[in-house]
């Protein structure tokens, strides 16, 4: 669930939906503020619940505190890796656009 929240926290869907109604800039600002507020509040909720559950005695690598089968740790590590890859593409997309615009016009 955290992967979905993080990957869709870029605000793309509310921004697209907000541009349909007039005035688009005002609606986009409302939609993005709502999206980032909801997304960050979910992350803070997970953080506080994790601290409540494990306390300050938790190890730096949180999965060391999880008891259970090895596949649970493997699935959590896979989800963390996928979230890192997804976040790279989301937050690096403005840089990709800038580089494409600047260096993509070699023939002009």
């Amino acid at each position: 669930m955290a992967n979905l929240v993080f990957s869709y926290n870029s605000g793309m869907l509310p921004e697209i939906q907000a541009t349909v109604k007039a005035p688009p800039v005002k609606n986009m600002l409302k939609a993005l503020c709502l999206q980032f507020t909801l997304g960050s509040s979910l992350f803070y909720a997970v953080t506080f619940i994790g601290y409540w559950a494990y306390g300050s005695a938790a190890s730096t690598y949180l999965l060391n505190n999880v008891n259970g089968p090895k596949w649970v740790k493997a699935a959590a590590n896979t989800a963390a890796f996928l979230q890192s890859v997804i976040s790279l593409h989301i937050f690096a997309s403005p840089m990709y656009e800038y580089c494409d615009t600047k260096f993509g016009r070699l023939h002009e």
Side-chain angles (χ1 to χ4, degrees), residues 47-69:
T47 302
F48 291 134
I49 290 171
Y51 187 78
W52 172 76
Y54 293 108
S56 61
S59 67
T60 306
Y61 184 60
L62 191 60
L63 288 177
N64 286 336
N65 296 334
V66 175
N67 297 326

Side-chain angles (χ1 to χ4, degrees), residues 2-83:
N3 286 333
L4 293 174
V5 170
F6 190 78
S7 63
Y8 294 116
N9 196 23
S10 66
M12 186 61 70
L13 185 62
E15 184 177 341
I16 291 171
Q17 290 177 344
T19 56
V20 175
K21 298 186 316 185
V25 174
K26 185 177 178 183
N27 291 331
M28 278 193 301
L29 183 61
K30 285 182 189 177
L32 287 175
C33 287
L34 176 68
Q35 177 69 23
F36 288 127
T37 302
L38 288 175
S40 59
S41 64
L42 289 173
F43 278 119
Y44 279 115
V46 168
T47 302
F48 291 134
I49 290 171
Y51 187 78
W52 172 76
Y54 293 108
S56 61
S59 67
T60 306
Y61 184 60
L62 191 60
L63 288 177
N64 286 336
N65 296 334
V66 175
N67 297 326
K70 289 188 177 193
W71 67 267
V72 172
K73 288 185 181 181
N77 284 324
T78 304
F81 173 74
L82 290 175
Q83 183 175 0

